[in-house]
Amino acid sequence: MNKLRLDDEVVVIAGRDRGRTGRITAFRKGGRALVSGVNMVTKHVKPDPQAMEEGGRVSKESPIHVSNLALWNPDRGESGGGDRVGIRTEDDGRKVRFFKSTGTLVPDSA
């Protein structure tokens, strides 16, 4: 079970985008994730007349390593809502994610 999943609300804890929040939209190999609105880079694109695409500078998201991300904990409020996540097995045998600081379960839609 992964500690971070698709559509999780995360906060960046290291790097030039520290403090920004967004949702995970995809995972890449090498332990990297695409987060909406975070780690934006400018890519220079050549025009493609056959596909009717113009050239120029395009701003797009670049993958960020998951070690630089923390799951957003709504219980901690606006002042640093990033929190570490643990995994434990419940009495009925299913594995669940929980916040390390409070011990509360991570909601499925987090």
Side-chain angles (χ1 to χ4, degrees):
M1 171 178 267
N2 293 329
K3 295 182 179 182
L4 295 177
R5 298 181 186 169
L6 282 178
D7 209 34
D8 276 347
E9 183 84 18
V10 293
V11 60
V12 180
I13 59 174
R16 69 169 190 225
D17 290 327
R18 178 178 35 218
R20 298 183 79 189
T21 61
R23 291 206 173 267
I24 296 179
T25 57
F27 282 99
R28 301 284 188 246
K29 60 183 172 183
R32 295 181 166 272
L34 281 177
V35 180
S36 61
V38 174
N39 203 21
M40 299 298 285
V41 295
T42 302
K43 183 171 176 63
H44 292 53
V45 180
K46 279 188 164 185
D48 187 2
Q50 294 176 347
M52 300 297 290
E53 293 179 357
E54 292 185 14
R57 296 172 14 164
V58 177
S59 188
K60 61 182 277 187
E61 297 153 352
S62 181
I64 187 168
H65 199 269
V66 294
S67 67
N68 296 329
L69 301 174
L71 192 61
W72 180 260
N73 187 350
D75 296 338
R76 292 185 67 183
E78 295 294 324
S79 63
D83 201 355
R84 294 186 304 158
V85 178
I87 298 171
R88 67 178 172 219
T89 306
E90 294 291 305
D91 294 333
D92 58 358
R94 61 189 175 96
K95 291 184 178 182
V96 294
R97 299 185 298 167
F98 68 97
F99 291 113
K100 293 264 190 164
S101 63
T102 60
T104 59
L105 294 181
V106 176
D108 289 335
S109 63

